[in-house]
Amino acid sequence: MGFLAFFLLPFFVASTAYSFCPITTCTNSTLTPIRFPFHLDQHNTENCSYPGFNLHCTDQGHLAITLPHSGEFLVRVINYETQFMLIDDPDSCLPQRLLEGFDPSGSPFQAEFYVNYTFLSCPRNFTNARFTVIDCLSNSTRSVIATFLTDFTADVSRSCQIIRTLPVPASLSGTGGFTSSLSEDVWLSWHVPDCQDCEARGGVCGYQSNGNQQIGCFKNLQNSGNPQQEHNSKGLKVFRIIAFSIAFPAIACAVGVGVFLCIVDRRDRHAGTQENRALQLIAGTAQPLDTTMGLDQATIDTYAKVVLGESRRVPGVNDGSCPICLSDFSAKETLRCIPECKHCFHADCIDEWLKMNGSCPLCRTSPAHHAQV
Ligand SMILES: [Zn+2]
Ligand SMILES: [Zn+2]
């Protein structure tokens, strides 16, 4: 009986109450409710504000944030579970804000990744199918365009002047390439406070009321606006520990057996072909199915180079390591992604590969040959 009480006790431990924080938003914002770690300035009570997450309403009733070095932006999307937000320019000219140099430092937010863009000023009648003219930066005589390409063809060099080259927190467009209109919202993420686990369980984070600024996970009672800490969170934890201690060895066992069987099976089936493939790779003679020639550097340069932000989120579909050299991507490393399949690699790794083989080493997709600018 005492044994049973030991396990049940945590279910009845009284939890500290969640201090009351107003849940609200701006009149013209569809983002409801604004909640921890964000808060609206007019409700800036001490226990509800996490440093750097203060939002405000613009005169038009839109939700906005002011970044210490880059000024005011509208907040379009907040995803509390994956901890990112999308921001836009209140004056609907995001390229202008990016041209001024976007700098989220001094805030809790980081850009996901950067691409070096060159802004060019060209005569109004200059046309090039590769570029979208940025209307809000252009006037009756000059068209402003932006590109991540560095190697310009003669007509561009002759007609256009470089305004500035600088890193831009770019987004992949729907087609997988980097947009030249730079009109997509800027994607920012945050890592502290880390409430992803709490949000994933349907809870919300907040300060505990014991005054020591500790963050707890609370039940999300949106309508009453007064969340209470998850009463069973401790009980849940104990249950998880027990479940985990039983399930983990069982899963580990199953995985071990599975991997062993898989290895044995693969060895049997692919013993010969794998070795041949490796030898071909070393000798540089591996031929893709549909492309027999490597690409020249000018063509390779038409695929954007991406500089990873602190969050090391990869802009493509693969995970956080380079499929060629197998090492993990780290912050500020330069990647290149193949637009057609969105596979990303270290720029140095994929450049060497594409010079010998004109297709993606992962999926064999042949990048379309973009016209050089
Ligand atoms: Zn690599
Ligand atoms: Zn691919």
PDB file of all heavy atoms in Angstrom, residues 155-176:
ATOM      1  N   ASP A 155      25.409  42.847 -70.577  1.00  0.00           N
ATOM      2  CA  ASP A 155      24.351  43.857 -70.643  1.00  0.00           C
ATOM      3  C   ASP A 155      23.999  44.408 -69.266  1.00  0.00           C
ATOM      4  O   ASP A 155      23.744  45.596 -69.107  1.00  0.00           O
ATOM      5  CB  ASP A 155      23.096  43.302 -71.357  1.00  0.00           C
ATOM      6  CG  ASP A 155      22.498  42.123 -70.603  1.00  0.00           C
ATOM      7  OD1 ASP A 155      23.272  41.346 -70.013  1.00  0.00           O
ATOM      8  OD2 ASP A 155      21.261  41.992 -70.618  1.00  0.00           O
ATOM      9  N   VAL A 156      24.056  43.524 -68.240  1.00  0.00           N
ATOM     10  CA  VAL A 156      23.778  43.995 -66.887  1.00  0.00           C
ATOM     11  C   VAL A 156      24.902  44.906 -66.409  1.00  0.00           C
ATOM     12  O   VAL A 156      24.669  46.002 -65.884  1.00  0.00           O
ATOM     13  CB  VAL A 156      23.593  42.796 -65.920  1.00  0.00           C
ATOM     14  CG1 VAL A 156      23.458  43.276 -64.488  1.00  0.00           C
ATOM     15  CG2 VAL A 156      22.384  41.971 -66.323  1.00  0.00           C
ATOM     16  N   SER A 157      26.147  44.475 -66.639  1.00  0.00           N
ATOM     17  CA  SER A 157      27.295  45.276 -66.200  1.00  0.00           C
ATOM     18  C   SER A 157      27.293  46.653 -66.863  1.00  0.00           C
ATOM     19  O   SER A 157      27.654  47.656 -66.253  1.00  0.00           O
ATOM     20  CB  SER A 157      28.607  44.565 -66.535  1.00  0.00           C
ATOM     21  OG  SER A 157      28.617  43.294 -65.953  1.00  0.00           O
ATOM     22  N   ARG A 158      26.867  46.684 -68.142  1.00  0.00           N
ATOM     23  CA  ARG A 158      26.914  47.927 -68.902  1.00  0.00           C
ATOM     24  C   ARG A 158      25.801  48.885 -68.452  1.00  0.00           C
ATOM     25  O   ARG A 158      26.015  50.078 -68.322  1.00  0.00           O
ATOM     26  CB  ARG A 158      26.757  47.620 -70.398  1.00  0.00           C
ATOM     27  CG  ARG A 158      27.218  48.725 -71.332  1.00  0.00           C
ATOM     28  CD  ARG A 158      27.248  48.245 -72.787  1.00  0.00           C
ATOM     29  NE  ARG A 158      26.027  47.526 -73.162  1.00  0.00           N
ATOM     30  CZ  ARG A 158      26.012  46.253 -73.570  1.00  0.00           C
ATOM     31  NH1 ARG A 158      27.132  45.552 -73.663  1.00  0.00           N
ATOM     32  NH2 ARG A 158      24.868  45.668 -73.916  1.00  0.00           N
ATOM     33  N   SER A 159      24.623  48.343 -68.195  1.00  0.00           N
ATOM     34  CA  SER A 159      23.452  49.204 -67.982  1.00  0.00           C
ATOM     35  C   SER A 159      23.170  49.534 -66.525  1.00  0.00           C
ATOM     36  O   SER A 159      22.585  50.563 -66.231  1.00  0.00           O
ATOM     37  CB  SER A 159      22.199  48.539 -68.565  1.00  0.00           C
ATOM     38  OG  SER A 159      22.439  48.067 -69.860  1.00  0.00           O
ATOM     39  N   CYS A 160      23.546  48.635 -65.630  1.00  0.00           N
ATOM     40  CA  CYS A 160      23.069  48.774 -64.247  1.00  0.00           C
ATOM     41  C   CYS A 160      24.216  49.128 -63.304  1.00  0.00           C
ATOM     42  O   CYS A 160      25.362  48.745 -63.545  1.00  0.00           O
ATOM     43  CB  CYS A 160      22.428  47.475 -63.778  1.00  0.00           C
ATOM     44  SG  CYS A 160      21.121  46.882 -64.864  1.00  0.00           S
ATOM     45  N   GLN A 161      23.878  49.823 -62.256  1.00  0.00           N
ATOM     46  CA  GLN A 161      24.867  50.118 -61.213  1.00  0.00           C
ATOM     47  C   GLN A 161      24.528  49.338 -59.940  1.00  0.00           C
ATOM     48  O   GLN A 161      23.353  49.219 -59.583  1.00  0.00           O
ATOM     49  CB  GLN A 161      24.865  51.617 -60.874  1.00  0.00           C
ATOM     50  CG  GLN A 161      25.604  52.481 -61.868  1.00  0.00           C
ATOM     51  CD  GLN A 161      24.611  53.332 -62.655  1.00  0.00           C
ATOM     52  OE1 GLN A 161      23.738  53.948 -62.070  1.00  0.00           O
ATOM     53  NE2 GLN A 161      24.755  53.344 -63.978  1.00  0.00           N
ATOM     54  N   ILE A 162      25.571  48.857 -59.308  1.00  0.00           N
ATOM     55  CA  ILE A 162      25.369  48.150 -58.036  1.00  0.00           C
ATOM     56  C   ILE A 162      25.072  49.173 -56.949  1.00  0.00           C
ATOM     57  O   ILE A 162      25.816  50.137 -56.769  1.00  0.00           O
ATOM     58  CB  ILE A 162      26.617  47.320 -57.668  1.00  0.00           C
ATOM     59  CG1 ILE A 162      26.784  46.157 -58.657  1.00  0.00           C
ATOM     60  CG2 ILE A 162      26.509  46.795 -56.232  1.00  0.00           C
ATOM     61  CD1 ILE A 162      28.045  45.342 -58.450  1.00  0.00           C
ATOM     62  N   ILE A 163      23.959  48.974 -56.252  1.00  0.00           N
ATOM     63  CA  ILE A 163      23.630  49.848 -55.124  1.00  0.00           C
ATOM     64  C   ILE A 163      24.338  49.340 -53.878  1.00  0.00           C
ATOM     65  O   ILE A 163      25.025  50.067 -53.183  1.00  0.00           O
ATOM     66  CB  ILE A 163      22.106  49.886 -54.864  1.00  0.00           C
ATOM     67  CG1 ILE A 163      21.352  50.334 -56.124  1.00  0.00           C
ATOM     68  CG2 ILE A 163      21.785  50.799 -53.689  1.00  0.00           C
ATOM     69  CD1 ILE A 163      19.854  50.171 -56.007  1.00  0.00           C
ATOM     70  N   ARG A 164      24.182  48.048 -53.633  1.00  0.00           N
ATOM     71  CA  ARG A 164      24.746  47.483 -52.411  1.00  0.00           C
ATOM     72  C   ARG A 164      24.652  45.965 -52.482  1.00  0.00           C
ATOM     73  O   ARG A 164      23.698  45.432 -53.044  1.00  0.00           O
ATOM     74  CB  ARG A 164      23.908  47.981 -51.218  1.00  0.00           C
ATOM     75  CG  ARG A 164      24.661  48.023 -49.918  1.00  0.00           C
ATOM     76  CD  ARG A 164      23.797  48.568 -48.801  1.00  0.00           C
ATOM     77  NE  ARG A 164      24.480  48.298 -47.535  1.00  0.00           N
ATOM     78  CZ  ARG A 164      23.918  48.416 -46.353  1.00  0.00           C
ATOM     79  NH1 ARG A 164      22.665  48.816 -46.240  1.00  0.00           N
ATOM     80  NH2 ARG A 164      24.605  48.150 -45.256  1.00  0.00           N
ATOM     81  N   THR A 165      25.646  45.272 -51.920  1.00  0.00           N
ATOM     82  CA  THR A 165      25.559  43.820 -51.740  1.00  0.00           C
ATOM     83  C   THR A 165      25.578  43.549 -50.247  1.00  0.00           C
ATOM     84  O   THR A 165      26.456  44.057 -49.539  1.00  0.00           O
ATOM     85  CB  THR A 165      26.741  43.107 -52.416  1.00  0.00           C
ATOM     86  OG1 THR A 165      26.713  43.403 -53.809  1.00  0.00           O
ATOM     87  CG2 THR A 165      26.660  41.603 -52.218  1.00  0.00           C
ATOM     88  N   LEU A 166      24.598  42.794 -49.769  1.00  0.00           N
ATOM     89  CA  LEU A 166      24.541  42.538 -48.331  1.00  0.00           C
ATOM     90  C   LEU A 166      23.739  41.277 -48.039  1.00  0.00           C
ATOM     91  O   LEU A 166      22.958  40.829 -48.880  1.00  0.00           O
ATOM     92  CB  LEU A 166      23.960  43.740 -47.578  1.00  0.00           C
ATOM     93  CG  LEU A 166      22.454  44.013 -47.603  1.00  0.00           C
ATOM     94  CD1 LEU A 166      22.114  45.113 -46.617  1.00  0.00           C
ATOM     95  CD2 LEU A 166      21.947  44.379 -48.980  1.00  0.00           C
ATOM     96  N   PRO A 167      23.968  40.669 -46.858  1.00  0.00           N
ATOM     97  CA  PRO A 167      23.202  39.464 -46.517  1.00  0.00           C
ATOM     98  C   PRO A 167      21.753  39.807 -46.201  1.00  0.00           C
ATOM     99  O   PRO A 167      21.486  40.759 -45.482  1.00  0.00           O
ATOM    100  CB  PRO A 167      23.921  38.912 -45.282  1.00  0.00           C
ATOM    101  CG  PRO A 167      24.711  40.037 -44.730  1.00  0.00           C
ATOM    102  CD  PRO A 167      24.958  41.017 -45.834  1.00  0.00           C
ATOM    103  N   VAL A 168      20.853  39.035 -46.760  1.00  0.00           N
ATOM    104  CA  VAL A 168      19.413  39.268 -46.598  1.00  0.00           C
ATOM    105  C   VAL A 168      18.797  38.007 -45.996  1.00  0.00           C
ATOM    106  O   VAL A 168      19.120  36.899 -46.425  1.00  0.00           O
ATOM    107  CB  VAL A 168      18.793  39.569 -47.990  1.00  0.00           C
ATOM    108  CG1 VAL A 168      17.300  39.374 -47.972  1.00  0.00           C
ATOM    109  CG2 VAL A 168      19.162  40.977 -48.444  1.00  0.00           C
ATOM    110  N   PRO A 169      17.935  38.141 -44.978  1.00  0.00           N
ATOM    111  CA  PRO A 169      17.258  36.961 -44.440  1.00  0.00           C
ATOM    112  C   PRO A 169      16.162  36.512 -45.402  1.00  0.00           C
ATOM    113  O   PRO A 169      15.017  36.913 -45.286  1.00  0.00           O
ATOM    114  CB  PRO A 169      16.672  37.445 -43.111  1.00  0.00           C
ATOM    115  CG  PRO A 169      16.524  38.921 -43.284  1.00  0.00           C
ATOM    116  CD  PRO A 169      17.547  39.368 -44.283  1.00  0.00           C
ATOM    117  N   ALA A 170      16.538  35.701 -46.382  1.00  0.00           N
ATOM    118  CA  ALA A 170      15.638  35.377 -47.486  1.00  0.00           C
ATOM    119  C   ALA A 170      14.779  34.156 -47.173  1.00  0.00           C
ATOM    120  O   ALA A 170      15.091  33.358 -46.308  1.00  0.00           O
ATOM    121  CB  ALA A 170      16.447  35.133 -48.743  1.00  0.00           C
ATOM    122  N   SER A 171      13.692  34.030 -47.900  1.00  0.00           N
ATOM    123  CA  SER A 171      12.827  32.856 -47.796  1.00  0.00           C
ATOM    124  C   SER A 171      12.843  32.133 -49.125  1.00  0.00           C
ATOM    125  O   SER A 171      12.941  32.754 -50.166  1.00  0.00           O
ATOM    126  CB  SER A 171      11.393  33.271 -47.484  1.00  0.00           C
ATOM    127  OG  SER A 171      11.358  34.163 -46.412  1.00  0.00           O
ATOM    128  N   LEU A 172      12.708  30.817 -49.047  1.00  0.00           N
ATOM    129  CA  LEU A 172      12.548  30.054 -50.283  1.00  0.00           C
ATOM    130  C   LEU A 172      11.154  30.316 -50.825  1.00  0.00           C
ATOM    131  O   LEU A 172      10.184  30.271 -50.090  1.00  0.00           O
ATOM    132  CB  LEU A 172      12.702  28.560 -50.006  1.00  0.00           C
ATOM    133  CG  LEU A 172      14.115  28.027 -49.875  1.00  0.00           C
ATOM    134  CD1 LEU A 172      14.078  26.596 -49.379  1.00  0.00           C
ATOM    135  CD2 LEU A 172      14.843  28.080 -51.199  1.00  0.00           C
ATOM    136  N   SER A 173      11.057  30.568 -52.111  1.00  0.00           N
ATOM    137  CA  SER A 173       9.726  30.761 -52.692  1.00  0.00           C
ATOM    138  C   SER A 173       9.102  29.396 -52.941  1.00  0.00           C
ATOM    139  O   SER A 173       9.729  28.360 -52.777  1.00  0.00           O
ATOM    140  CB  SER A 173       9.840  31.542 -53.990  1.00  0.00           C
ATOM    141  OG  SER A 173      10.444  30.738 -54.970  1.00  0.00           O
ATOM    142  N   GLY A 174       7.854  29.399 -53.337  1.00  0.00           N
ATOM    143  CA  GLY A 174       7.128  28.154 -53.546  1.00  0.00           C
ATOM    144  C   GLY A 174       7.792  27.234 -54.544  1.00  0.00           C
ATOM    145  O   GLY A 174       7.680  26.015 -54.458  1.00  0.00           O
ATOM    146  N   THR A 175       8.518  27.789 -55.486  1.00  0.00           N
ATOM    147  CA  THR A 175       9.140  26.954 -56.505  1.00  0.00           C
ATOM    148  C   THR A 175      10.489  26.416 -56.053  1.00  0.00           C
ATOM    149  O   THR A 175      11.157  25.712 -56.793  1.00  0.00           O
ATOM    150  CB  THR A 175       9.352  27.752 -57.803  1.00  0.00           C
ATOM    151  OG1 THR A 175      10.099  28.929 -57.490  1.00  0.00           O
ATOM    152  CG2 THR A 175       8.033  28.144 -58.434  1.00  0.00           C
ATOM    153  N   GLY A 176      10.903  26.750 -54.844  1.00  0.00           N
ATOM    154  CA  GLY A 176      12.140  26.199 -54.318  1.00  0.00           C
ATOM    155  C   GLY A 176      13.342  27.099 -54.526  1.00  0.00           C
ATOM    156  O   GLY A 176      14.368  26.919 -53.919  1.00  0.00           O
TER     157      GLY A 176
END
